[in-house]
Amino acid sequence: SAVISQKPSRDICQRGTSLTIQCQVDSQVTMMFWYRQQPGQSLTLIATANQGSEATYESGFVIDKFPISRPNLTFSTLTVSNMSPEDSSIYLCSVTGTQDSGANVLTFGAGSRLTVL
Amino acid sequence: AQSVAQPEDQVNVAEGNPLTVKCTYSVSGNPYLFWYVQYPNRGLQFLLKYITGDNLVKGSYGFEAEFNKSQTSFHLKKPSALVSDSALYFCAVRLYNFNKFYFGSGTKLNVKP
């Protein structure tokens, strides 16, 4: 399965600032997703990162708050803009592979733990 | 709407005893079902999946799960629990023709020595 590197692994940020999280995959993948895991809660899908076009956002998430880039098949970024303490969460990058290499399994990065003061 | 339910927030079991972590689902179509485990300060790791075929699937670390279509369940089981199995377990479902995964709320498994 793909190996995903996320950075930063954790950060402490001030209210009103923005932070960009990077996700690098060691192989080309079909689908890339960004999830949020708030403290003590399950995973919520933020958006699907589409290569070469605008991301597809889930209900409750908007591009102005969570801009996403995906310039190629191995890299994506998620920015958390104008942060507030409610944005304190773990942000997880995840991917599914190509058709012949585990397309049905979602593989996760280790996550980026964000604390907003 | 698609959904996954994990009715137990926490499961406590003694080391060496069998364990079961419950999962039920609701989807409008044929489901693909998954179990993931999350250790403290780590990302989610894939344990096992049901796509088609045998209802009993075996996965990593001695875990297995049984797909029950009539009860719309996919319970995770292990014959003999280890202390190192203590972690947070998530059930997930996706439709066969759709890439979106839906996750349950998670069950914390505590295995006591």
Side-chain angles (χ1 to χ4, degrees):
Chain A
S1 61
V3 176
I4 302 171
S5 300
Q6 255 187 264
K7 58 181 181 181
S9 58
R10 58 179 62 228
D11 207 339
I12 299 174
C13 302
Q14 296 299 316
R15 183 195 299 259
T17 63
S18 299
L19 179 75
T20 296
I21 301 168
Q22 297 182 3
C23 176
Q24 178 71 57
V25 191
D26 69 341
S27 58
Q28 292 186 346
V29 293
T30 307
M31 307 291 291
M32 296 183 78
F33 306 92
W34 288 98
Y35 283 85
R36 180 174 74 182
Q37 185 180 19
Q38 293 179 301
Q41 297 191 26
S42 185
L43 283 75
T44 302
L45 180 62
I46 298 172
T48 302
N50 300 310
Q51 192 263 328
S53 64
E54 189 173 292
T56 304
Y57 290 85
E58 297 299 306
S59 176
F61 297 95
V62 295
I63 189 171
D64 289 346
K65 176 66 175 178
F66 297 101
I68 289 171
S69 77
R70 188 178 175 190
N72 55 51
L73 293 177
T74 64
F75 185 77
S76 177
T77 66
L78 167 74
T79 299
V80 186
S81 303
N82 188 25
M83 288 184 285
S84 66
E86 292 72 33
D87 294 320
S88 297
S89 288
I90 299 173
Y91 292 85
L92 294 155
C93 174
S94 61
V95 305
T96 56
T98 60
Q99 190 63 37
D100 295 328
S101 58
N104 293 320
V105 176
L106 199 59
T107 302
F108 286 88
S112 300
R113 182 182 294 271
L114 178 60
T115 302
V116 184
L117 302 178
Chain B
Q2 332 300 337
S3 65
V4 181
Q6 292 181 243
E8 301 155 317
D9 291 337
Q10 186 166 297
V11 169
N12 299 311
V13 64
E15 188 174 33
N17 284 358
L19 69 87
T20 298
V21 182
K22 296 179 180 178
C23 172
T24 59
Y25 64 90
S26 174
V27 300
S28 53
N30 294 325
Y32 292 165
L33 295 155
F34 304 81
W35 276 101
Y36 287 83
V37 59
Q38 186 177 35
Y39 298 101
N41 301 313
R42 304 276 295 275
L44 276 74
Q45 297 179 29
F46 167 73
L47 273 182
L48 52 79
K49 66 180 179 181
Y50 171 81
I51 303 297
T52 187
D54 194 347
N55 289 343
L56 182 66
V57 293
K58 296 184 183 296
S60 307
Y61 312 121
F63 283 94
E64 59 187 30
E66 185 165 13
F67 171 61
N68 188 318
K69 188 173 183 178
S70 63
Q71 298 184 5
T72 62
S73 67
F74 189 59
H75 301 331
L76 181 70
K77 300 182 179 184
K78 187 173 182 180
S80 179
L82 300 173
V83 172
S84 58
D85 293 330
S86 298
L88 190 56
Y89 291 81
F90 289 97
C91 182
V93 64
R94 59 162 278 205
L95 296 179
Y96 75 98
N97 61 346
F98 196 47
N99 274 306
K100 187 184 295 187
F101 287 69
Y102 297 88
F103 284 84
S105 54
T107 299
K108 185 177 181 182
L109 174 66
N110 295 313
V111 182
K112 301 289 179 58

